[in-house]
Amino acid sequence: MDELKPDQVDPSEDSSRPREPMVVIEGVNKHFGDLHVLRDINLTVGKGEVVVILGPSGSGKSTLCRAINRLETVESGTIAVDGNPLPEEGKPLAQLRADVGMVFQSFNLFAHKTIRDNVTLGPIKVRKKSKDEANALADRLLERVGVAEQAEKFPAQLSGGQQQRVAIARSLAMGPKVMLFDEPTSALDPEMVNEVLDVMVGLAKEGMTMIVVTHEMGFARKAADRVVFMADGQVVEVATPDEFFTNPRSDRAKDFLGKIL
Ligand code: ADP
Ligand code: MG
């Protein structure tokens, strides 16, 4: 695919026009031993686009997300975020991790720090904000995800849904260019799933670029611009949610949807 130059894109154009690319994945391959876990992956995610990755367990969804954040290296191919190829190490890598927010199934908050301090740590250490600035930012973000009253508490005092919303606030505090979500609601009790999805829908509406691995088909229908269906390490289908759910093209996708819907 030809790379789109920023000056060719008018953001006021309708959404059927290609967007300026934010994440560009080209010809990416990776093995774990004999297992070919990512097979020639090509995917471009545009600025402000919400891409939902679906697929059976073991299809390589998490590995792909981790590769975008360079938590995994790849053997061949390239990944670029906002025009920059992924750095090897050092300061540029810390910068990349700040630009690419990641929210996992397990919330991974620092247990011995307050909720507010969980959110201010990155901005102070990596973004070099003052303590006052970072606190103000944290309080704004905690308000936005609906847990402002919990700022002085420790993670264990919060519900799973609240902790995951704090994890989202913590990522947002870095001012990321793109947010990756890897099954962010899979570890939650059912009654807490929607409070997290609602925050994510809000982010999507505000124009955040998002790559979301989830089994929540309601979210995919509501928030995704495109659905990417993966199986056995390959991107099998890319479609709008409407196309994908009403008329999946591949047998694999039909089989997958048959099992979950
Ligand atoms: P998904 O997120 O779609 O369930 P993953 O990306 O987690 O899939 O895993 C893809 C495949 O790679 C699975 O078969 C998994 O067992 C394997 N795998 C994942 N991480 C590792 C690892 N660190 N070492 C070896 N195999 C792994
Ligand atoms: Mg996974």
Side-chain angles (χ1 to χ4, degrees):
M1 211 196 303
D2 284 336
E3 209 160 272
L4 208 58
K5 297 201 178 61
D7 59 0
Q8 291 179 286
V9 179
D10 176 353
S12 65
E13 293 279 344
D14 77 287
S15 60
S16 60
R17 286 279 305 264
R19 302 166 187 246
E20 195 179 333
M22 177 61 87
V23 178
V24 180
I25 302 168
E26 287 180 318
V28 161
N29 281 278
K30 181 176 182 71
H31 289 76
F32 285 121
D34 289 339
L35 182 68
H36 198 170
V37 61
L38 296 178
R39 298 174 184 238
D40 197 32
I41 303 285
N42 294 286
L43 179 66
T44 297
V45 179
K47 286 188 180 166
E49 192 179 19
V50 178
V51 167
V52 167
I53 303 180
L54 302 177
S57 174
S59 53
K61 306 179 301 293
S62 292
T63 305
L64 182 62
C65 284
R66 291 168 57 79
I68 296 168
N69 210 7
R70 216 184 165 287
L71 293 168
E72 302 279 0
T73 55
V74 298
E75 293 145 14
S76 63
T78 57
I79 300 178
V81 175
D82 203 16
N84 304 309
L86 297 195
E88 292 296 315
E89 55 194 9
K91 265 215 170 101
L93 185 55
Q95 176 71 48
L96 168 84
R97 298 255 167 84
D99 285 345
V100 182
M102 184 140 181
V103 174
F104 302 90
Q105 183 173 331
S106 53
F107 330 122
N108 295 325
L109 298 176
F110 299 110
H112 59 288
K113 289 191 182 297
T114 65
I115 296 305
R116 183 184 289 111
D117 288 350
N118 264 276
V119 179
T120 59
L121 195 68
I124 290 170
K125 283 210 162 154
V126 180
R127 296 299 197 199
K128 308 294 176 203
K129 289 196 190 290
S130 71
K131 179 113 188 153
D132 283 351
E133 257 182 309
N135 279 335
L137 174 65
D139 287 348
R140 218 160 52 235
L141 288 169
L142 291 172
E143 177 84 48
R144 174 169 167 190
V145 301
V147 290
E149 301 78 51
Q150 320 296 329
E152 316 287 340
K153 293 187 183 164
F154 289 87
Q157 296 173 280
L158 273 60
S159 72
Q162 289 173 323
Q163 288 187 58
Q164 192 61 304
R165 285 182 282 146
V166 174
I168 294 172
R170 182 175 60 172
S171 277
L172 292 176
M174 301 298 273
K177 294 175 173 173
V178 49
M179 286 284 291
L180 308 178
F181 294 87
D182 190 0
E183 300 200 24
T185 60
S186 295
L188 297 177
D189 292 334
E191 74 271 20
M192 293 171 187
V193 167
N194 280 335
E195 65 194 53
V196 173
L197 293 179
D198 286 348
V199 169
M200 293 167 61
V201 169
L203 271 181
K205 284 193 180 140
E206 287 165 31
M208 177 61 78
T209 306
M210 295 166 62
I211 299 174
V212 183
V213 178
T214 185
H215 299 295
E216 294 293 334
M217 299 302 142
F219 176 84
R221 280 179 186 277
K222 185 147 98 183
D225 294 300
R226 285 187 298 161
V227 166
V228 170
F229 176 70
M230 285 182 73
D232 294 331
Q234 287 178 299
V235 171
V236 177
E237 278 191 49
V238 181
T240 65
D242 212 33
E243 284 165 354
F244 183 77
F245 290 113
T246 56
N247 191 20
R249 293 187 299 272
S250 63
D251 288 342
R252 281 220 176 91
K254 285 176 194 159
D255 182 55
F256 174 77
L257 288 172
K259 281 180 183 140
I260 56 156
L261 292 182

